[in-house]
Amino acid sequence: MSIRSTVRSRLESVVGEERARSAARTERAVRTRLARAIAPPPPKKKKKKRPKPAAAVPRPNEPYTPHPTPTMSRHQLLAGLHERLQPRTYLEIGVRNGESLALSSTRSIGVDPAYNVDREIQADVQLVRTTSDEFFAREDPLAHFSGVPVDLAFIDGMHLSEFALRDFLNTEPHMARTGVVVLDDMLPRNATEAARDRLTSSWAGDVYKVAEILRRNRPDLLVLLVNTSPTGTVVIVGLDPASAVKDAVYEAEVAYCLAPDPQEVPQGYLDRSEAVNAKELLGLSVWEELAKRRDDSEPALDDLWEQLRGLATGR
Ligand SMILES: C[S@@+](CC[C@H](N)C(=O)[O-])C[C@H]1O[C@@H](n2cnc3c(N)ncnc32)[C@H](O)[C@@H]1O
């Protein structure tokens, strides 16, 4: 018999069964309280270590290269092209909140993996939530246009040159010969703004290389640098939807695209001495003429390209 049982049976014989049971209950309660009081404190839960906040992104205060004051913004240029070309179809790579897409009132496709359109769109638009590479890899990516080629395209997606180059090369086969491609952020204002690794709040990236690459490899295209605010645009005409050099151009130039920072932006891009004045560009009758000639089976366009080549630069 255990000591506790012996004590209890003696107690029972002295005070009776009921009082002995009550004494046992009291004793148990006291024991429990005592055990709690002397028990070592429970181990503290380890706090999850929060990762240290990343070091603040440096914002180098490099001055912009002086350049002629732009006569309009990229969106004003785009709006002007919509007005003059009256495109049957509009393709936009890089939609964000729909500011540029809202300039279209024609049948449109907008491609962006993370669009967040926050305004009214007046166009018959198909929004595609994916990357441009995945979009162009689809079976019939531009089915929304029912076989009508693209009259106006705006390339403003990922701001790394290999992406923008692929965007142009993948877009061209879908363009009308009378079509116009506009690329944004092509005239960075200093080398920091052109860095592949983003260092500045206003970021152009190294997409300017696309203009250099096309000028180097595609003398059949007319690649016009346009002085728009903030970071310049490029307008490309003379498109050849049947061009067979797409893959060769990409393979030849991808290493140049991937060249690490710092970037060596050509001086004529930085100071915009190679760029045309946006107002003067839109003032030409070329755009309305392109619209008139788009139904011709073999449109003669050299006279229009001559007009464009005649524009003065650096103003
Ligand atoms: C500069 S914003 C576009 C601004 C818009 N075009 C405008 O002017 O109002 C660039 C957009 O490209 C999108 N983007 C990034 N990578 C992309 C990719 N691989 N394909 C298509 N869009 C991409 C981003 O999600 C972002 O919304």
Side-chain angles (χ1 to χ4, degrees):
M1 204 182 242
S2 73
I3 295 177
R4 195 172 289 147
S5 308
T6 313
V7 170
R8 185 160 173 187
S9 83
R10 294 248 175 95
L11 193 64
E12 251 180 49
S13 64
V14 176
V15 296
E17 192 186 334
E18 201 168 314
R19 289 184 65 193
R21 216 182 291 136
S22 152
R25 269 201 303 273
T26 309
E27 185 248 357
R28 258 200 314 273
V30 170
R31 243 187 311 126
T32 310
R33 257 181 299 186
L34 194 63
R36 275 195 198 133
I38 62 175
K44 276 189 184 170
K45 273 190 186 167
K46 271 191 183 172
K47 273 191 184 172
K48 268 191 186 171
K49 267 193 181 173
R50 284 196 184 170
K52 277 188 182 172
V57 179
R59 300 259 184 270
N61 197 13
E62 190 190 339
Y64 293 144
T65 309
H67 56 272
T69 306
T71 49
M72 62 178 71
S73 72
R74 65 190 190 284
H75 285 153
Q76 285 170 325
L77 174 71
L78 195 59
L81 287 172
H82 271 288
E83 196 183 313
R84 288 160 178 76
L85 286 169
Q86 293 292 313
R88 296 164 295 179
T89 49
Y90 171 67
L91 172 66
E92 181 167 292
I93 309 292
V95 172
R96 196 162 55 194
N97 56 15
E99 203 178 341
S100 49
L101 190 59
L103 302 171
S104 172
S105 53
T106 191
R107 208 189 305 185
S108 306
I109 298 177
V111 182
D112 190 316
Y115 65 79
N116 184 17
V117 175
D118 64 0
R119 60 204 66 218
E120 286 191 6
I121 305 290
Q122 304 289 344
D124 163 13
V125 62
Q126 180 193 17
L127 283 171
V128 190
R129 191 179 289 283
T130 191
T131 63
S132 48
D133 288 327
E134 198 280 326
F135 170 75
F136 285 116
R138 291 182 180 188
E139 178 77 22
D140 185 7
L142 285 88
H144 183 58
F145 293 160
S146 316
V148 178
V150 181
D151 286 334
L152 180 60
F154 185 40
I155 296 178
D156 190 19
M158 174 60 86
H159 284 187
L160 293 174
S161 52
E162 66 277 22
F163 285 78
L165 179 60
R166 287 199 298 274
D167 285 347
F168 174 80
L169 296 173
N170 286 328
T171 296
E172 191 182 19
H174 301 282
M175 297 297 302
R177 290 195 75 91
T178 48
V180 178
V181 177
V182 181
L183 291 102
D184 196 22
D185 299 302
M186 301 295 278
L187 302 173
R189 293 164 291 185
N190 57 37
T192 312
E193 202 169 52
R196 290 174 62 81
D197 286 327
R198 185 174 187 159
L199 295 169
T200 47
S201 49
S202 161
W203 181 52
D206 67 342
V207 292
Y208 69 90
K209 290 175 184 167
V210 176
E212 292 187 286
I213 289 169
L214 294 178
R215 283 179 164 182
R216 229 182 345 255
N217 293 273
R218 293 286 307 276
D220 52 324
L221 295 173
L222 183 48
V223 180
L224 288 163
L225 312 188
V226 188
N227 183 13
T228 53
S229 63
T231 42
T233 36
V234 155
V235 168
I236 304 180
V237 292
L239 301 157
D240 178 4
S243 171
V245 298
K246 177 177 167 224
D247 295 343
V249 171
Y250 191 75
E251 270 159 40
E253 296 287 358
V254 68
Y256 175 60
C257 288
L258 298 174
D261 295 331
Q263 303 300 323
E264 281 182 38
V265 187
Q267 188 59 24
Y269 288 43
L270 289 172
D271 63 19
R272 305 196 180 183
S273 56
E274 289 186 41
V276 300
N277 178 306
K279 256 195 186 154
E280 290 177 11
L281 177 71
L282 275 186
L284 297 177
S285 59
V286 165
W287 316 110
E288 286 86 352
E289 276 303 317
L290 281 173
K292 278 186 204 157
R293 298 182 199 183
R294 66 171 61 118
D295 288 330
D296 301 354
S297 54
E298 287 294 325
L301 301 166
D302 286 349
D303 60 319
L304 305 184
W305 308 158
E306 274 318 299
Q307 280 190 57
L308 289 170
R309 282 200 188 91
L311 278 170
T313 54
R315 303 160 20 124

